[in-house]
């Protein structure tokens, strides 16, 4: 696709800025990125209804292709949890499956031609449209904050308020260095959602930028560059979804363990 197809793309700088601008309402902290919310909800519902449909229609006989795929995904997530998670919780495996599939679908939107959906939306008067939720730091950080809340919840549930506070103040240097312990544990707590969100955001943002830059080139050279990058990017988007899922499992496993 060429830059001239999208309204607002008068020159390369305007074209890039246009593609990196969210459809937003509100101001300051209460700014809502409507495109990120829309595609996140649509992709989440797609995952939900697809897997639910297979679960309802599952058969013990010869399964179809879709049932085979869903069973492979369920077994894949369940195996990762059994190998990594050392606590007891019926929530972790469904959570791992949901995170992997939802983040993967987020990332998969990066393979849609960069001008296609913004062009279609412009026909209906929508001036901006970012279709990849994982290129929006608000989305990746919001998901990582949910994981952080689960870490705190399970830490309090398994260890109790007193045990969790004791761990926070005495680990890893012992009770006599509780100021250093507190500082390190606060840094570790903050680093977990930051690392989860920034890793996913950075990789997908960079991938989206490359697709945008390729779209600025003459049309006859775009397929020679976009196709190899898209094939390579399939590995990237799958790996990033897997990393997010695995780190979530590891963090929740740590929340279930007692410190000694």
């Amino acid at each position: 696709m060429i830059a001239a197809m999208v309204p607002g793309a008068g020159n390369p700088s305007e074209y890039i800025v246009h593609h990196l601008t969210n459809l937003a309402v509100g101001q300051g902290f209460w700014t809502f990125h409507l495109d990120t919310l829309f595609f996140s909800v649509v992709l989440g519902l797609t995952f939900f209804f697809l897997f639910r449909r297979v679960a309802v229609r599952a058969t013990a006989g010869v399964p179809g292709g879709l049932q085979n795929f869903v069973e492979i995904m369920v077994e894949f997530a369940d195996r990762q949890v059994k190998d990594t998670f050392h606590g007891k919780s019926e929530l972790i495996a469904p959570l791992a499956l949901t995170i992997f599939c939802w983040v993967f679908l987020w990332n998969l939107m990066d393979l849609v031609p960069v001008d296609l959906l913004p062009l279609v939306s412009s026909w209906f008067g929508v001036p901006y449209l970012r279709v990849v939720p994982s290129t929006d730091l608000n989305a990746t950080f919001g998901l990582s904050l949910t994981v952080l809340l689960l870490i705190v919840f399970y830490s309090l549930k398994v260890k109790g308020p007193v045990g969790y506070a004791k761990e926070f103040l005495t680990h890893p240097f012992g009770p006599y260095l509780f100021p250093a312990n507190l500082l390190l544990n606060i840094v570790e707590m903050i680093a977990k959602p930051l690392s989860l969100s920034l890793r996913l955001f950075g990789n997908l943002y960079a991938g989206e930028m490359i697709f945008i830059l390729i779209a600025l080139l003459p049309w006859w050279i775009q397929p020679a560059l976009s196709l190899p990058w898209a094939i390579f990017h399939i590995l990237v988007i799958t790996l990033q979804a897997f990393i997010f899922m695995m780190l979530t499992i590891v963090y929740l496993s740590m929340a279930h363990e007692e410190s000694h």
Side-chain angles (χ1 to χ4, degrees):
M1 303 253 176
I2 56 176
M5 291 183 63
V6 179
N11 58 57
S13 297
E14 292 178 357
Y15 177 78
I16 293 173
V17 170
H18 184 274
H19 274 289
L20 297 180
T21 302
N22 286 97
L23 179 65
V25 294
Q27 294 181 347
F29 179 81
W30 296 108
T31 301
F32 294 91
H33 291 174
L34 299 181
D35 42 12
T36 297
L37 292 172
F38 172 78
F39 285 108
S40 295
V41 170
V42 168
L43 295 172
L45 290 176
T46 299
F47 158 72
F48 173 78
F49 285 113
L50 182 65
F51 275 62
R52 185 181 183 278
R53 181 173 181 269
V54 171
V56 170
R57 300 185 179 185
T59 175
V62 179
L66 183 58
Q67 182 177 333
N68 270 328
F69 171 75
V70 170
E71 289 178 353
I72 289 172
M73 295 305 302
V74 171
E75 291 174 3
F76 163 74
D78 189 57
R79 183 169 61 252
Q80 303 307 317
V81 171
K82 287 181 179 179
D83 292 343
T84 309
F85 184 74
H86 302 122
K88 293 182 178 179
S89 175
E90 296 181 353
L91 174 67
I92 306 304
L95 176 66
L97 176 66
T98 301
I99 286 178
F100 178 83
C101 292
W102 200 20
V103 172
F104 177 78
L105 289 174
W106 278 7
N107 299 346
L108 191 64
M109 295 297 293
D110 211 11
L111 299 181
V112 177
V114 294
D115 287 342
L116 179 59
L117 294 182
L119 175 63
V120 173
S121 67
S122 69
W123 297 342
F124 299 93
V126 179
Y128 301 104
L129 191 73
R130 291 184 71 178
V131 304
V132 188
S134 42
T135 62
D136 185 351
L137 186 56
N138 294 281
T140 60
F141 194 62
L143 186 59
S144 66
L145 282 179
T146 304
V147 174
L148 177 63
L149 291 176
L150 287 172
I151 293 172
V152 174
F153 170 78
Y154 278 110
S155 295
L156 291 171
K157 180 181 179 181
V158 173
K159 304 164 188 175
V162 175
Y164 188 39
K166 181 179 178 182
E167 178 184 274
F168 227 75
L169 295 174
T170 61
H171 182 76
F173 299 125
Y176 299 107
L177 293 175
F178 70 89
N181 296 329
L182 180 62
L183 178 62
L184 286 175
N185 283 308
I186 290 175
V187 171
E188 179 185 4
M189 186 66 67
I190 295 174
K192 287 176 180 177
L194 283 177
S195 63
L196 279 175
S197 59
L198 291 178
R199 180 185 295 105
L200 178 59
F201 164 76
N203 281 277
L204 271 296
Y205 187 89
E208 180 73 0
M209 276 297 301
I210 292 177
F211 280 121
I212 293 173
L213 293 174
I214 291 174
L216 286 169
L217 297 173
W219 65 269
W220 49 269
I221 199 174
Q222 290 181 24
L225 297 175
S226 60
L227 182 59
W229 176 245
I231 294 173
F232 172 74
H233 204 55
I234 292 173
L235 300 176
V236 174
I237 65 178
T238 307
L239 180 62
Q240 291 305 313
F242 177 75
I243 290 174
F244 203 107
M245 178 192 71
M246 287 304 301
L247 287 178
T248 299
I249 297 172
V250 169
Y251 292 155
L252 291 176
S253 179
M254 293 170 61
H256 282 74
E257 296 175 355
E258 295 281 353
S259 297
H260 299 287

